[in-house]
Coordinates of all heavy atoms in Angstrom, one line a residue:
D227 N -12.6 90.5 127.8 CA -12.7 91.2 129.1 C -13.0 90.3 130.3 O -13.3 90.7 131.4 CB -13.6 92.4 129.0 CG -15.1 91.9 128.6 OD1 -15.2 90.8 128.1 OD2 -16.0 92.8 128.8
V228 N -13.1 88.9 130.0 CA -13.3 87.9 131.0 C -12.1 87.1 131.3 O -11.4 86.8 130.3 CB -14.5 87.0 130.6 CG1 -14.7 85.9 131.6 CG2 -15.8 87.8 130.4
H229 N -11.7 86.9 132.5 CA -10.5 86.1 132.9 C -10.9 84.7 133.0 O -11.7 84.3 133.8 CB -10.0 86.6 134.2 CG -9.7 88.1 134.3 ND1 -8.7 88.7 133.7 CD2 -10.4 89.1 134.9 CE1 -8.7 90.0 133.9 NE2 -9.8 90.2 134.6
L230 N -10.3 83.8 132.2 CA -10.6 82.4 132.1 C -9.4 81.6 132.7 O -8.3 81.8 132.2 CB -10.8 82.0 130.6 CG -12.0 82.8 129.9 CD1 -12.0 82.5 128.5 CD2 -13.3 82.4 130.6
W231 N -9.6 80.8 133.7 CA -8.6 80.1 134.3 C -8.8 78.6 134.1 O -10.0 78.1 134.3 CB -8.6 80.3 135.8 CG -8.4 81.7 136.3 CD1 -8.7 82.9 135.6 CD2 -8.0 82.2 137.6 NE1 -8.5 84.0 136.4 CE2 -8.0 83.6 137.6 CE3 -7.5 81.5 138.7 CZ2 -7.6 84.3 138.7 CZ3 -7.1 82.2 139.8 CH2 -7.2 83.6 139.8
A232 N -7.8 77.8 133.9 CA -7.9 76.4 133.9 C -6.9 75.8 134.9 O -5.7 76.2 134.9 CB -7.5 75.9 132.5
C233 N -7.4 74.9 135.7 CA -6.5 74.2 136.7 C -6.6 72.7 136.6 O -7.7 72.2 136.6 CB -7.0 74.6 138.1 SG -7.0 76.4 138.4
P234 N -5.5 72.0 136.4 CA -5.5 70.6 136.2 C -5.5 69.8 137.5 O -4.7 69.0 137.8 CB -4.2 70.3 135.4 CG -3.3 71.3 135.9 CD -4.1 72.6 136.2
L235 N -6.5 70.2 138.4 CA -6.6 69.7 139.7 C -7.9 69.1 140.1 O -8.9 69.6 139.5 CB -6.2 70.8 140.7 CG -4.9 71.5 140.6 CD1 -4.9 72.8 141.4 CD2 -3.8 70.6 140.9
A236 N -7.9 68.2 141.0 CA -9.2 67.7 141.6 C -9.6 68.7 142.7 O -8.8 69.1 143.5 CB -9.1 66.3 142.1
V237 N -10.9 69.0 142.7 CA -11.4 69.9 143.8 C -12.3 68.9 144.7 O -13.0 68.1 144.2 CB -12.3 71.0 143.2 CG1 -12.9 71.8 144.3 CG2 -11.5 71.9 142.3
G238 N -12.1 69.1 146.0 CA -12.9 68.3 146.9 C -12.8 68.8 148.3 O -12.9 70.1 148.5
N239 N -12.7 68.0 149.3 CA -12.7 68.4 150.7 C -11.3 68.3 151.3 O -11.1 68.4 152.5 CB -13.7 67.6 151.5 CG -13.3 66.1 151.4 OD1 -12.3 65.7 150.9 ND2 -14.3 65.3 151.9
G240 N -10.3 68.2 150.5 CA -8.9 68.2 150.9 C -8.3 66.8 151.0 O -7.1 66.6 151.1
S241 N -9.2 65.7 150.9 CA -8.7 64.4 150.9 C -8.4 63.9 149.4 O -8.7 64.6 148.5 CB -9.7 63.5 151.5 OG -10.9 63.4 150.8
R242 N -7.8 62.8 149.3 CA -7.5 62.2 148.0 C -8.8 61.9 147.2 O -9.8 61.5 147.8 CB -6.7 60.9 148.2 CG -6.1 60.4 146.8 CD -5.1 59.3 147.0 NE -4.5 59.2 148.3 CZ -4.5 58.1 149.0 NH1 -5.1 57.0 148.6 NH2 -3.9 58.1 150.2
I243 N -8.8 62.2 145.9 CA -9.9 61.9 145.1 C -9.5 60.7 144.2 O -8.5 60.7 143.6 CB -10.2 63.1 144.2 CG1 -10.7 64.3 145.0 CG2 -11.3 62.8 143.1 CD1 -12.0 64.2 145.8
E244 N -10.4 59.8 144.2 CA -10.2 58.5 143.4 C -11.0 58.6 142.1 O -12.1 59.0 142.1 CB -10.7 57.4 144.3 CG -10.5 56.0 143.6 CD -11.0 54.9 144.6 OE1 -12.2 54.7 144.6 OE2 -10.1 54.4 145.3
K245 N -10.4 58.2 141.0 CA -11.0 58.2 139.7 C -11.3 56.7 139.4 O -10.5 55.8 139.5 CB -10.1 58.7 138.6 CG -10.7 58.7 137.3 CD -9.9 59.5 136.2 CE -8.4 59.3 136.2 NZ -7.8 60.0 135.1
Q246 N -12.6 56.4 139.0 CA -13.0 55.1 138.6 C -13.7 55.1 137.3 O -14.5 56.1 137.0 CB -14.0 54.5 139.7 CG -13.4 54.4 141.0 CD -14.4 54.0 142.1 OE1 -15.6 54.3 141.9 NE2 -14.0 53.3 143.1
W247 N -13.5 54.1 136.5 CA -14.1 54.0 135.2 C -15.4 53.2 135.3 O -15.3 52.1 135.9 CB -13.2 53.5 134.1 CG -12.0 54.4 133.9 CD1 -10.8 54.4 134.5 CD2 -12.1 55.6 133.1 NE1 -10.1 55.4 134.1 CE2 -10.8 56.2 133.2 CE3 -13.0 56.1 132.3 CZ2 -10.5 57.3 132.5 CZ3 -12.7 57.3 131.6 CH2 -11.4 57.9 131.7
P248 N -16.5 53.6 134.7 CA -17.7 52.8 134.8 C -17.6 51.6 133.9 O -17.0 51.7 132.8 CB -18.8 53.8 134.3 CG -18.1 54.8 133.5 CD -16.7 54.9 134.1
D249 N -18.1 50.5 134.3 CA -18.3 49.3 133.5 C -17.1 48.5 133.1 O -17.1 47.3 133.0 CB -19.2 49.6 132.2 CG -20.5 50.2 132.5 OD1 -21.1 49.9 133.6 OD2 -20.9 51.1 131.8
E250 N -16.0 49.2 132.8 CA -14.8 48.4 132.3 C -13.6 49.0 132.9 O -13.5 50.2 133.3 CB -14.7 48.5 130.8 CG -15.9 47.9 130.1 CD -15.8 48.0 128.5 OE1 -14.7 47.9 128.1 OE2 -16.8 48.0 127.9
A251 N -12.5 48.2 132.9 CA -11.3 48.6 133.5 C -10.5 49.6 132.6 O -9.7 50.4 133.1 CB -10.4 47.4 133.8

């Protein structure tokens, strides 16, 4: 009875979101 939604998106302030990996490339 609960609606579960999944969205493959970045949430932010409308600008591009950058993904960085810690410690190693």
Side-chain angles (χ1 to χ4, degrees):
D227 57 345
V228 175
H229 307 284
L230 304 169
W231 304 23
C233 301
L235 302 167
V237 177
N239 59 10
S241 65
R242 191 170 336 126
I243 298 293
E244 181 177 83
K245 178 169 49 173
Q246 298 172 330
W247 294 96
D249 303 323
E250 297 184 32

